[in-house]
Amino acid sequence: MLREPDGEKPADLEVRFAVDIEMRAVDDTARTLQGYAAAFNVKTKIRSWSGEFEEVLEPACFADTLAKQADVRALVEHDYRSLLARTSAGNLVLEEDARGLKFSMNLPDTQLGRDTYENVRVRNYTGMSFGFMPLKMKQDFDERGRLVRVSHQSVDLREITITSMPAYPKTSVAIRSLITRSASLLPGSLDLRLRIAKLRA
């Protein structure tokens, strides 16, 4: 089991929100929640300082994370102090199927665990989100060198979170690491295209 340091900065992660994803309370005694934290092949428009592009998660993009048994955490509202479960403890189980990233978690017998379960049960919490670092992606550009589509083929999943606001955050923050990470994954390519886009704009 690969353990990640507890002090990791959430701000370093890409954050995406799964809208209209199933999540439900299934066992009052064990306080079990089940659902999907991410969906495959769902097109999402993301706005950035360089324009707008489309993003999708390809099937099996979480396979590397699952194969290496990374220590993924389940949180409330991306707050690392509000820890609900983690894969290394065995109370968070993640798997991929044809639809997306499926999860099952047993919440602790704490005030946070009980409150979270009740809020899901009464539909106060209706959304899921996930934090990741991109590892492998396919990028498409238009004739002006602007990024128009990103297909994530492999990502390093660090967290899933229960949220009351399943909508994208401000894009300047949301895609900052994607832009810089893309440049390192594709040396020179994205940097050159961004320069061309600025010159032609």
Side-chain angles (χ1 to χ4, degrees):
M1 181 74 68
L2 180 64
R3 296 295 297 271
E4 300 290 348
D6 286 339
E8 184 179 75
K9 298 178 181 178
D12 293 337
L13 302 180
E14 288 294 320
V15 175
R16 296 296 183 266
F17 293 78
V19 182
D20 296 328
I21 286 293
E22 173 188 359
M23 176 176 62
R24 64 188 186 278
V26 297
D27 186 335
D28 290 349
T29 302
R31 292 177 301 281
T32 300
L33 301 181
Q34 294 179 349
Y36 287 82
F40 297 141
N41 295 319
V42 175
K43 298 178 181 179
T44 302
K45 292 290 186 181
I46 298 181
R47 293 183 177 87
S48 74
W49 55 268
S50 61
E52 185 178 80
F53 65 91
E54 183 179 88
E55 182 182 67
V56 298
L57 297 172
E58 294 190 4
C61 67
F62 299 104
D64 289 338
T65 296
L66 300 180
K68 69 180 183 181
Q69 296 184 305
D71 187 17
V72 180
R73 299 160 180 80
L75 311 172
V76 177
E77 302 292 2
H78 292 284
D79 184 351
Y80 273 49
R81 296 166 298 181
S82 299
L83 179 63
L84 294 172
R86 61 196 306 167
T87 53
S88 64
N91 46 23
L92 172 63
V93 177
L94 300 170
E95 62 178 316
E96 290 181 310
D97 62 15
R99 182 179 178 185
L101 180 66
K102 190 176 182 179
F103 73 87
S104 178
M105 71 175 86
N106 293 328
L107 303 186
D109 187 16
T110 62
Q111 191 65 52
L112 177 64
R114 293 189 295 271
D115 288 349
T116 300
Y117 186 86
E118 181 63 13
N119 277 316
V120 172
R121 191 186 67 80
V122 301
R123 303 292 294 167
N124 285 334
Y125 284 138
T126 59
M128 290 296 298
S129 174
F130 58 100
F132 69 98
M133 294 296 292
L135 295 177
K136 182 181 179 182
M137 67 182 79
K138 178 184 177 183
Q139 297 173 307
D140 296 316
F141 302 84
D142 65 14
E143 66 280 359
R144 300 184 65 186
R146 293 176 299 192
L147 182 66
V148 295
R149 181 182 171 90
V150 173
S151 299
H152 288 287
Q153 299 168 321
S154 179
V155 303
D156 184 7
L157 180 68
R158 304 297 180 87
E159 63 165 84
I160 66 172
T161 197
I162 296 173
T163 178
S164 61
M165 300 180 66
Y168 274 76
K170 294 182 179 178
T171 51
S172 60
V173 176
I175 60 92
R176 179 185 57 204
S177 66
L178 176 59
I179 294 296
T180 56
R181 187 80 170 178
S182 300
S184 64
L185 291 172
L186 300 174
S189 175
L190 181 60
D191 182 62
L192 177 60
R193 291 177 185 274
L194 288 176
R195 287 188 211 169
I196 293 173
K198 286 183 180 179
L199 290 173
R200 291 179 175 177

